mmCIF file of all heavy atoms in Angstrom:
data_model
loop_
_atom_site.group_PDB
_atom_site.id
_atom_site.type_symbol
_atom_site.label_atom_id
_atom_site.label_comp_id
_atom_site.label_asym_id
_atom_site.label_seq_id
_atom_site.Cartn_x
_atom_site.Cartn_y
_atom_site.Cartn_z
ATOM 1 N N ASP A 103 17.756 18.581 18.575
ATOM 2 C CA ASP A 103 18.924 18.463 19.451
ATOM 3 C C ASP A 103 18.531 17.822 20.783
ATOM 4 O O ASP A 103 19.240 16.958 21.299
ATOM 5 C CB ASP A 103 19.531 19.853 19.680
ATOM 6 C CG ASP A 103 20.941 19.765 20.257
ATOM 7 O OD1 ASP A 103 21.709 18.890 19.813
ATOM 8 O OD2 ASP A 103 21.268 20.558 21.152
ATOM 9 N N ARG A 104 17.385 18.229 21.333
ATOM 10 C CA ARG A 104 16.940 17.645 22.609
ATOM 11 C C ARG A 104 16.641 16.164 22.479
ATOM 12 O O ARG A 104 16.809 15.398 23.427
ATOM 13 C CB ARG A 104 15.708 18.383 23.131
ATOM 14 C CG ARG A 104 16.101 19.606 23.951
ATOM 15 C CD ARG A 104 14.937 20.482 24.303
ATOM 16 N NE ARG A 104 14.046 19.912 25.308
ATOM 17 C CZ ARG A 104 13.091 20.620 25.916
ATOM 18 N NH1 ARG A 104 12.930 21.905 25.630
ATOM 19 N NH2 ARG A 104 12.301 20.058 26.805
ATOM 20 N N LEU A 105 16.180 15.750 21.294
ATOM 21 C CA LEU A 105 15.897 14.327 21.077
ATOM 22 C C LEU A 105 17.167 13.542 20.731
ATOM 23 O O LEU A 105 17.121 12.323 20.616
ATOM 24 C CB LEU A 105 14.880 14.152 19.941
ATOM 25 C CG LEU A 105 13.467 14.688 20.179
ATOM 26 C CD1 LEU A 105 12.628 14.538 18.916
ATOM 27 C CD2 LEU A 105 12.795 13.972 21.349
ATOM 28 N N GLY A 106 18.275 14.257 20.540
ATOM 29 C CA GLY A 106 19.535 13.581 20.218
ATOM 30 C C GLY A 106 19.659 13.179 18.760
ATOM 31 O O GLY A 106 20.373 12.239 18.424
ATOM 32 N N LEU A 107 18.965 13.906 17.873
ATOM 33 C CA LEU A 107 18.982 13.559 16.445
ATOM 34 C C LEU A 107 20.153 14.232 15.731
ATOM 35 O O LEU A 107 19.952 14.992 14.785
ATOM 36 C CB LEU A 107 17.676 13.990 15.768
ATOM 37 C CG LEU A 107 16.360 13.616 16.431
ATOM 38 C CD1 LEU A 107 15.185 14.070 15.575
ATOM 39 C CD2 LEU A 107 16.295 12.115 16.647
ATOM 40 N N ASP A 108 21.374 13.973 16.160
ATOM 41 C CA ASP A 108 22.521 14.603 15.507
ATOM 42 C C ASP A 108 22.610 14.133 14.061
ATOM 43 O O ASP A 108 22.437 12.960 13.762
ATOM 44 C CB ASP A 108 23.810 14.261 16.250
ATOM 45 C CG ASP A 108 24.992 15.040 15.697
ATOM 46 O OD1 ASP A 108 24.801 16.214 15.319
ATOM 47 O OD2 ASP A 108 26.091 14.472 15.628
ATOM 48 N N GLY A 109 22.861 15.073 13.162
ATOM 49 C CA GLY A 109 22.979 14.729 11.747
ATOM 50 C C GLY A 109 21.660 14.715 11.006
ATOM 51 O O GLY A 109 21.635 14.564 9.784
ATOM 52 N N ALA A 110 20.550 14.883 11.720
ATOM 53 C CA ALA A 110 19.247 14.883 11.048
ATOM 54 C C ALA A 110 19.014 16.211 10.335
ATOM 55 O O ALA A 110 19.676 17.208 10.609
ATOM 56 C CB ALA A 110 18.135 14.646 12.072
ATOM 57 N N ALA A 111 18.054 16.205 9.409
ATOM 58 C CA ALA A 111 17.605 17.439 8.762
ATOM 59 C C ALA A 111 16.409 17.959 9.552
ATOM 60 O O ALA A 111 15.492 17.199 9.851
ATOM 61 C CB ALA A 111 17.206 17.156 7.319
ATOM 62 N N ALA A 112 16.431 19.236 9.905
ATOM 63 C CA ALA A 112 15.344 19.813 10.709
ATOM 64 C C ALA A 112 14.715 20.971 9.949
ATOM 65 O O ALA A 112 15.343 22.009 9.766
ATOM 66 C CB ALA A 112 15.879 20.283 12.057
ATOM 67 N N TYR A 113 13.489 20.765 9.490
ATOM 68 C CA TYR A 113 12.754 21.792 8.747
ATOM 69 C C TYR A 113 11.698 22.418 9.647
ATOM 70 O O TYR A 113 11.011 21.702 10.383
ATOM 71 C CB TYR A 113 12.019 21.175 7.559
ATOM 72 C CG TYR A 113 12.900 20.569 6.499
ATOM 73 C CD1 TYR A 113 13.149 19.201 6.472
ATOM 74 C CD2 TYR A 113 13.460 21.365 5.509
ATOM 75 C CE1 TYR A 113 13.936 18.636 5.480
ATOM 76 C CE2 TYR A 113 14.251 20.805 4.511
ATOM 77 C CZ TYR A 113 14.484 19.445 4.505
ATOM 78 O OH TYR A 113 15.258 18.889 3.523
ATOM 79 N N GLN A 114 11.526 23.724 9.540
ATOM 80 C CA GLN A 114 10.419 24.375 10.236
ATOM 81 C C GLN A 114 9.574 25.159 9.241
ATOM 82 O O GLN A 114 10.076 26.034 8.541
ATOM 83 C CB GLN A 114 10.935 25.302 11.327
ATOM 84 C CG GLN A 114 9.801 25.904 12.155
ATOM 85 C CD GLN A 114 10.322 26.518 13.437
ATOM 86 O OE1 GLN A 114 11.042 25.870 14.192
ATOM 87 N NE2 GLN A 114 9.980 27.757 13.685
ATOM 88 N N ILE A 115 8.290 24.820 9.202
ATOM 89 C CA ILE A 115 7.344 25.460 8.291
ATOM 90 C C ILE A 115 6.605 26.559 9.036
ATOM 91 O O ILE A 115 6.078 26.316 10.118
ATOM 92 C CB ILE A 115 6.284 24.435 7.814
ATOM 93 C CG1 ILE A 115 6.942 23.177 7.274
ATOM 94 C CG2 ILE A 115 5.344 25.045 6.780
ATOM 95 C CD1 ILE A 115 7.759 23.413 6.075
ATOM 96 N N GLN A 116 6.545 27.746 8.456
ATOM 97 C CA GLN A 116 5.721 28.819 9.007
ATOM 98 C C GLN A 116 4.327 28.666 8.399
ATOM 99 O O GLN A 116 4.174 28.710 7.173
ATOM 100 C CB GLN A 116 6.340 30.175 8.644
ATOM 101 C CG GLN A 116 5.660 31.371 9.271
ATOM 102 C CD GLN A 116 5.916 31.475 10.763
ATOM 103 O OE1 GLN A 116 6.884 30.928 11.271
ATOM 104 N NE2 GLN A 116 5.029 32.145 11.478
ATOM 105 N N SER A 117 3.324 28.476 9.230
ATOM 106 C CA SER A 117 2.011 28.107 8.697
ATOM 107 C C SER A 117 0.939 28.250 9.752
ATOM 108 O O SER A 117 1.225 28.426 10.932
ATOM 109 C CB SER A 117 2.054 26.655 8.222
ATOM 110 O OG SER A 117 2.590 25.843 9.253
ATOM 111 N N GLY A 118 -0.322 28.150 9.313
ATOM 112 C CA GLY A 118 -1.460 28.203 10.226
ATOM 113 C C GLY A 118 -2.168 26.863 10.260
ATOM 114 O O GLY A 118 -1.527 25.819 10.406
ATOM 115 N N CYS A 119 -3.483 26.877 10.065
ATOM 116 C CA CYS A 119 -4.270 25.657 10.250
ATOM 117 C C CYS A 119 -4.011 24.593 9.189
ATOM 118 O O CYS A 119 -4.439 23.456 9.349
ATOM 119 C CB CYS A 119 -5.754 25.995 10.313
ATOM 120 S SG CYS A 119 -6.181 26.807 11.869
ATOM 121 N N SER A 120 -3.323 24.939 8.094
ATOM 122 C CA SER A 120 -2.974 23.909 7.113
ATOM 123 C C SER A 120 -1.561 23.378 7.353
ATOM 124 O O SER A 120 -1.059 22.558 6.583
ATOM 125 C CB SER A 120 -3.071 24.464 5.685
ATOM 126 O OG SER A 120 -2.016 25.382 5.428
ATOM 127 N N GLY A 121 -0.920 23.842 8.424
ATOM 128 C CA GLY A 121 0.490 23.540 8.642
ATOM 129 C C GLY A 121 0.798 22.067 8.834
ATOM 130 O O GLY A 121 1.777 21.552 8.293
ATOM 131 N N ALA A 122 -0.037 21.369 9.595
ATOM 132 C CA ALA A 122 0.233 19.947 9.824
ATOM 133 C C ALA A 122 0.170 19.192 8.499
ATOM 134 O O ALA A 122 0.992 18.300 8.243
ATOM 135 C CB ALA A 122 -0.767 19.375 10.825
ATOM 136 N N LEU A 123 -0.780 19.564 7.637
ATOM 137 C CA LEU A 123 -0.878 18.884 6.340
ATOM 138 C C LEU A 123 0.265 19.282 5.412
ATOM 139 O O LEU A 123 0.759 18.466 4.634
ATOM 140 C CB LEU A 123 -2.250 19.145 5.702
ATOM 141 C CG LEU A 123 -3.351 18.291 6.352
ATOM 142 C CD1 LEU A 123 -4.729 18.902 6.145
ATOM 143 C CD2 LEU A 123 -3.329 16.863 5.810
ATOM 144 N N GLN A 124 0.716 20.531 5.490
ATOM 145 C CA GLN A 124 1.902 20.929 4.721
ATOM 146 C C GLN A 124 3.114 20.105 5.166
ATOM 147 O O GLN A 124 3.901 19.636 4.343
ATOM 148 C CB GLN A 124 2.207 22.414 4.920
ATOM 149 C CG GLN A 124 1.200 23.348 4.272
ATOM 150 C CD GLN A 124 1.696 24.796 4.250
ATOM 151 O OE1 GLN A 124 2.883 25.048 4.141
ATOM 152 N NE2 GLN A 124 0.772 25.735 4.341
ATOM 153 N N ALA A 125 3.252 19.938 6.475
ATOM 154 C CA ALA A 125 4.396 19.179 7.002
ATOM 155 C C ALA A 125 4.293 17.711 6.593
ATOM 156 O O ALA A 125 5.295 17.079 6.241
ATOM 157 C CB ALA A 125 4.454 19.318 8.521
ATOM 158 N N LEU A 126 3.081 17.159 6.619
ATOM 159 C CA LEU A 126 2.897 15.765 6.193
ATOM 160 C C LEU A 126 3.200 15.606 4.702
ATOM 161 O O LEU A 126 3.787 14.605 4.279
ATOM 162 C CB LEU A 126 1.466 15.304 6.503
ATOM 163 C CG LEU A 126 1.151 15.094 7.997
ATOM 164 C CD1 LEU A 126 -0.353 14.992 8.225
ATOM 165 C CD2 LEU A 126 1.861 13.850 8.544
ATOM 166 N N ALA A 127 2.821 16.607 3.893
ATOM 167 C CA ALA A 127 3.101 16.542 2.450
ATOM 168 C C ALA A 127 4.611 16.553 2.201
ATOM 169 O O ALA A 127 5.114 15.827 1.332
ATOM 170 C CB ALA A 127 2.432 17.715 1.725
ATOM 171 N N LEU A 128 5.339 17.359 2.970
ATOM 172 C CA LEU A 128 6.796 17.388 2.805
ATOM 173 C C LEU A 128 7.417 16.073 3.258
ATOM 174 O O LEU A 128 8.328 15.546 2.609
ATOM 175 C CB LEU A 128 7.403 18.554 3.585
ATOM 176 C CG LEU A 128 7.121 19.939 3.004
ATOM 177 C CD1 LEU A 128 7.739 21.020 3.871
ATOM 178 C CD2 LEU A 128 7.629 20.048 1.566
ATOM 179 N N ALA A 129 6.926 15.528 4.371
ATOM 180 C CA ALA A 129 7.437 14.239 4.847
ATOM 181 C C ALA A 129 7.194 13.165 3.786
ATOM 182 O O ALA A 129 8.058 12.319 3.521
ATOM 183 C CB ALA A 129 6.762 13.857 6.161
ATOM 184 N N ASP A 130 6.030 13.213 3.164
ATOM 185 C CA ASP A 130 5.679 12.263 2.103
ATOM 186 C C ASP A 130 6.684 12.361 0.954
ATOM 187 O O ASP A 130 7.177 11.338 0.447
ATOM 188 C CB ASP A 130 4.265 12.598 1.616
ATOM 189 C CG ASP A 130 3.644 11.478 0.801
ATOM 190 O OD1 ASP A 130 4.008 10.305 1.015
ATOM 191 O OD2 ASP A 130 2.785 11.783 -0.047
ATOM 192 N N ALA A 131 7.018 13.592 0.550
ATOM 193 C CA ALA A 131 7.973 13.790 -0.546
ATOM 194 C C ALA A 131 9.370 13.325 -0.132
ATOM 195 O O ALA A 131 10.081 12.678 -0.909
ATOM 196 C CB ALA A 131 8.002 15.262 -0.962
ATOM 197 N N LEU A 132 9.772 13.649 1.101
ATOM 198 C CA LEU A 132 11.110 13.257 1.564
ATOM 199 C C LEU A 132 11.241 11.738 1.655
ATOM 200 O O LEU A 132 12.310 11.182 1.411
ATOM 201 C CB LEU A 132 11.410 13.898 2.931
ATOM 202 C CG LEU A 132 11.615 15.418 2.912
ATOM 203 C CD1 LEU A 132 11.557 15.996 4.322
ATOM 204 C CD2 LEU A 132 12.947 15.782 2.252
ATOM 205 N N LEU A 133 10.141 11.061 2.008
ATOM 206 C CA LEU A 133 10.188 9.604 2.138
ATOM 207 C C LEU A 133 10.028 8.899 0.797
ATOM 208 O O LEU A 133 10.448 7.748 0.649
ATOM 209 C CB LEU A 133 9.105 9.127 3.110
ATOM 210 C CG LEU A 133 9.375 9.474 4.577
ATOM 211 C CD1 LEU A 133 8.137 9.232 5.425
ATOM 212 C CD2 LEU A 133 10.559 8.670 5.114
ATOM 213 N N ALA A 134 9.426 9.572 -0.185
ATOM 214 C CA ALA A 134 9.223 8.938 -1.495
ATOM 215 C C ALA A 134 10.569 8.542 -2.095
ATOM 216 O O ALA A 134 10.709 7.477 -2.696
ATOM 217 C CB ALA A 134 8.469 9.881 -2.429
ATOM 218 N N ALA A 135 11.568 9.417 -1.898
ATOM 219 C CA ALA A 135 12.887 9.140 -2.462
ATOM 220 C C ALA A 135 13.628 8.077 -1.648
ATOM 221 O O ALA A 135 14.464 7.352 -2.181
ATOM 222 C CB ALA A 135 13.707 10.433 -2.511
ATOM 223 N N ARG A 136 13.341 7.994 -0.345
ATOM 224 C CA ARG A 136 14.057 7.075 0.545
ATOM 225 C C ARG A 136 13.059 6.426 1.493
ATOM 226 O O ARG A 136 13.022 6.734 2.692
ATOM 227 C CB ARG A 136 15.101 7.856 1.360
ATOM 228 C CG ARG A 136 16.165 8.590 0.537
ATOM 229 C CD ARG A 136 17.384 7.706 0.294
ATOM 230 N NE ARG A 136 17.887 7.177 1.543
ATOM 231 C CZ ARG A 136 18.771 7.813 2.328
ATOM 232 N NH1 ARG A 136 19.245 8.975 1.973
ATOM 233 N NH2 ARG A 136 19.178 7.270 3.444
ATOM 234 N N PRO A 137 12.220 5.495 0.976
ATOM 235 C CA PRO A 137 11.100 4.969 1.777
ATOM 236 C C PRO A 137 11.520 4.140 2.990
ATOM 237 O O PRO A 137 10.697 3.865 3.866
ATOM 238 C CB PRO A 137 10.313 4.114 0.776
ATOM 239 C CG PRO A 137 11.226 3.871 -0.357
ATOM 240 C CD PRO A 137 12.225 4.981 -0.389
ATOM 241 N N ASP A 138 12.791 3.772 3.060
ATOM 242 C CA ASP A 138 13.262 3.005 4.214
ATOM 243 C C ASP A 138 13.411 3.883 5.456
ATOM 244 O O ASP A 138 13.582 3.373 6.559
ATOM 245 C CB ASP A 138 14.617 2.386 3.880
ATOM 246 C CG ASP A 138 15.610 3.439 3.378
ATOM 247 O OD1 ASP A 138 15.258 4.173 2.416
ATOM 248 O OD2 ASP A 138 16.708 3.556 3.946
ATOM 249 N N ARG A 139 13.350 5.204 5.288
ATOM 250 C CA ARG A 139 13.621 6.090 6.410
ATOM 251 C C ARG A 139 12.373 6.374 7.250
ATOM 252 O O ARG A 139 11.253 6.046 6.864
ATOM 253 C CB ARG A 139 14.209 7.411 5.912
ATOM 254 C CG ARG A 139 15.499 7.183 5.112
ATOM 255 C CD ARG A 139 16.279 8.444 4.936
ATOM 256 N NE ARG A 139 15.491 9.495 4.316
ATOM 257 C CZ ARG A 139 15.934 10.732 4.145
ATOM 258 N NH1 ARG A 139 17.148 11.062 4.544
ATOM 259 N NH2 ARG A 139 15.181 11.635 3.571
#
Side-chain angles (χ1 to χ4, degrees):
Chain A
D103 195 40
R104 274 171 72 168
L105 294 175
L107 311 183
D108 187 36
Y113 296 98
Q114 185 165 308
I115 309 296
Q116 186 71 22
S117 50
C119 288
S120 71
L123 283 157
Q124 290 192 33
L126 289 165
L128 289 179
D130 196 28
L132 290 166
L133 289 168
R136 300 269 307 273
D138 53 307
R139 302 195 304 175

